[in-house]
Structures are given as C-alpha cells and as structure tokens.
Amino acid sequence: MRHFILAASLALTLGSAQAAEATLDLKVRDLSADFVDFYDQANKPLPPVVAPAAGQPAPVQESLEDRRWRLFKKHYDFSAQSTPEAARAALDSAWPRYAGVLPQIEAGFDGIAAESSQAIGNLSKLQSLSQSMSLRLVTYVGAFEGRVWRDKEEDVVNLYLPLEVGADARLVPMARLLGETMLDKTAGWGSKPRTLAELVVGEGVVAHGAAAVAPGKGIEQYLGINADELARLRANRKTILSTMLPKLGDGSAATLDNYRGAQLAEARFAGWLLVEGFTKKKARYADMIRQKPADLTKVSQATMASINRAK
C-alpha cells in the first residue's frame, strides 16, 4: 500500500494497482511512398506543346499548379485539411519547402520508428496498460501543419503522424494522444469519468506522461494550450482550484461537460498540479487511475486543498 500523509491530522491511501496481462497489437500504414511517387511525378518538366493542325485552335497549356493538383489526387490524395480547397491551398504553400525535408519523408515510418516505439513503451509502463488494444500508426506527409490526430476503425485506433516536420513538432501531441488512447483502456473509468476528480486526474496523467516522453518543453505544450492561457491559469490558480474543490465528487453531466468544454483548460491545469502533488508522495500513475471513485475524490480534495494553501 502507498500512503500519502496529506496533513498533520489526515492520512489517505491509494492502493497499488495490479495490472492484468495485456498485449498491444501495433500496426503501421506508411503513406510516404505514395507521396514520394506524387512528388517525383509533379517535378517532371511539362510536356512540350504540340503545334495545332492547320485550322485547329491552339491547345490550352495546363498550368504547373493545375498539373500538380491533378497528380496529387491521382498518386497521393491524402491531407490533414478538411476540404479539397484547403488541401490545395496548403499544398501550394508548402510545395517549395518539401525539397529541404525530402530525406526524412523518404525514410518514412522507419525514420520515426524509434521515437514512436519509445513513446509507446514509456506510456505503457507509466499507466501499466491493463487491457489489450490495437493501435495503427499512420505516417503521412502534410503541408507543415504538424497535425497529429486519431480516429477509430472498428477496434483499431489510428494515430496519424506527420513526416515533413521534426520530432519537436510531433512528439508532444503524439504522446498526449497515445496517453489518452491508453487511458481509455487502463483507467478504472475507461473513456467515461464518473466524477470530476477522475476527469481531472486523467488530464493530469496524460500531461505528465507527455512530459516524461518529451522532457524539456513548456508546460503549456504538455497541457495542449498556449503560453498566454497558461499565464492566465497561473494568475488565477487559487480561484480556479477553490471553485473546483467542492465539485470533485460531482459526476453530473452538466459538471463533466463543462470541464470537458468551456473549462477544459482549467481541468488540465488542475490535473497537472494534482498529479504533480501525488507524485511528490511517490504515487504511481497506474495507481492514480485505478481507485474507487470515492477514494480518489477524497485524496484529490485533500491534495488540492494543500496545493491551494501554498503560495
């Protein structure tokens, strides 16, 4: 058992979680070869214009941009953008930059296999992955948006990773989404927190997991917010925590939806502080996410109150 001495007159316990044996079925879908094929085709010189026969109109020469888009649709046809118009605009803007990163694009998944494997391994250990899951890493070439996202095909979670950007742009969002995906399988509440305490602790575990995978970044990156938002949260820490404290045991849809939506930044910030407080008492992430709701609420209330009393 792991004991937290949270105040002179109060001792609360988080029991050590025993994880069941689990397997992680990892698949890869690498789209880099399709992009390289498109890139090579689009860089070929335009065919010569054939002189028209006598009395025939001159043929219309296809522009470089129109040809590039036609070849994109034929050979690659994948974009992080939501509409064809946005995809074409992004491609036109990014086109001159691809030459400078072509070696890492050509390396495909192999170029990021080590960082992906390390992130998956670290997060699996931190959360003590307790249920088997299937994960597919989809490596693609975007337009330097650096967008990482996930979706699901039946029982397989797809995680989309951009190759045209460096690890600095990819690693933290990758770690956050991996952490969220594993949390859905590992936490006592699965993908549906039963109380605000569970929601907040889950956010904290995801953020601290990202920090463990990619150390040395700004806290705002681990929280998925911007620096100005973090400054606001820090300035209003006492008000934020005081408002949240009596609600930690609340499992109503209204409260949970509010802290998933309009006040998500507050939930993430409070989760960062709360999990930081737990780890100072030598608690493991795996133990934090497998407690009975009442026990987690109680220890979270005591820890948050202690944090809020600090200067």
Side-chain angles (χ1 to χ4, degrees):
M1 302 293 282
R2 296 175 179 275
H3 296 277
F4 294 173
I5 308 303
L6 300 171
S9 61
L10 178 65
L12 296 175
T13 300
L14 288 185
S16 182
Q18 298 298 317
E21 200 162 319
T23 59
L24 198 160
D25 176 28
L26 184 63
K27 302 174 174 67
V28 174
R29 180 186 295 161
D30 188 356
L31 303 180
S32 60
D34 291 341
F35 180 87
V36 171
D37 184 25
F38 148 66
Y39 186 81
D40 289 344
Q41 293 293 328
N43 272 307
K44 290 180 179 179
L46 287 170
V49 177
V50 179
Q56 296 297 314
V60 177
Q61 177 71 19
E62 186 179 35
S63 71
L64 283 170
E65 293 77 12
D66 286 347
R67 178 172 177 263
R68 183 165 63 221
W69 180 242
R70 175 173 58 79
L71 292 170
F72 176 92
K73 298 289 288 182
K74 178 180 179 181
H75 295 278
Y76 185 55
D77 201 21
F78 185 90
S79 176
Q81 303 295 325
S82 59
T83 66
E85 294 78 14
R88 178 167 181 172
L91 175 66
D92 289 343
S93 177
W95 187 252
R97 302 174 62 185
Y98 288 127
V101 295
L102 198 57
Q104 71 193 49
I105 291 174
E106 291 174 330
F109 173 76
D110 290 346
I112 69 166
E115 75 179 52
S116 303
S117 176
Q118 185 177 22
I120 292 169
N122 287 346
L123 291 171
S124 295
K125 287 181 181 179
L126 288 172
Q127 293 193 23
S128 294
L129 187 65
S130 60
Q131 291 189 44
S132 299
M133 60 180 290
S134 293
L135 178 68
R136 181 186 290 116
L137 303 182
V138 183
T139 45
Y140 77 98
V141 181
F144 298 91
E145 312 96 329
R147 186 180 172 214
V148 178
W149 77 97
R150 63 174 174 165
D151 60 25
K152 195 171 183 180
E153 294 180 31
E154 297 180 345
D155 293 330
V156 181
V157 176
N158 294 317
L159 184 63
Y160 296 85
L161 305 174
L163 294 171
E164 81 283 4
V165 298
D168 280 351
R170 181 176 53 243
L171 196 51
V172 171
M174 176 177 72
R176 279 194 55 85
L177 284 182
L178 278 170
E180 290 173 5
T181 301
M182 290 181 185
L183 197 69
D184 289 349
K185 289 287 186 181
T186 299
W189 56 86
S191 61
K192 297 179 179 179
R194 296 161 293 191
T195 64
L196 180 57
E198 290 184 338
L199 188 155
V200 169
V201 169
E203 290 289 350
V205 166
V206 167
H208 279 279
V213 168
K217 310 296 183 186
I219 293 174
E220 69 278 3
Q221 294 183 55
Y222 303 135
L223 297 179
I225 60 177
N226 61 47
D228 289 343
E229 184 72 355
L230 178 60
R232 181 190 71 80
L233 294 168
R234 281 174 163 163
N236 293 282
R237 186 197 71 186
K238 287 188 176 294
T239 299
I240 290 168
L241 298 186
S242 295
T243 301
M244 186 178 293
L245 190 55
K247 300 178 183 179
L248 287 173
D250 189 350
S252 67
T255 293
L256 295 178
D257 289 348
N258 185 47
Y259 280 100
R260 284 192 190 102
Q263 292 185 270
L264 177 59
E266 282 87 343
R268 290 181 174 178
F269 177 64
W272 176 269
L273 296 176
L274 193 54
V275 169
E276 185 177 58
F278 289 163
T279 55
K280 287 179 179 178
K281 303 297 182 181
K282 309 301 182 184
R284 302 184 311 154
Y285 299 155
D287 297 336
M288 300 175 200
I289 60 178
R290 290 187 176 92
Q291 300 307 305
K292 294 178 180 178
D295 291 344
L296 186 61
T297 295
K298 191 175 182 181
V299 75
S300 297
Q301 288 170 333
T303 303
M304 187 174 287
S306 177
I307 293 168
N308 214 20
R309 287 193 296 268
K311 292 184 180 180

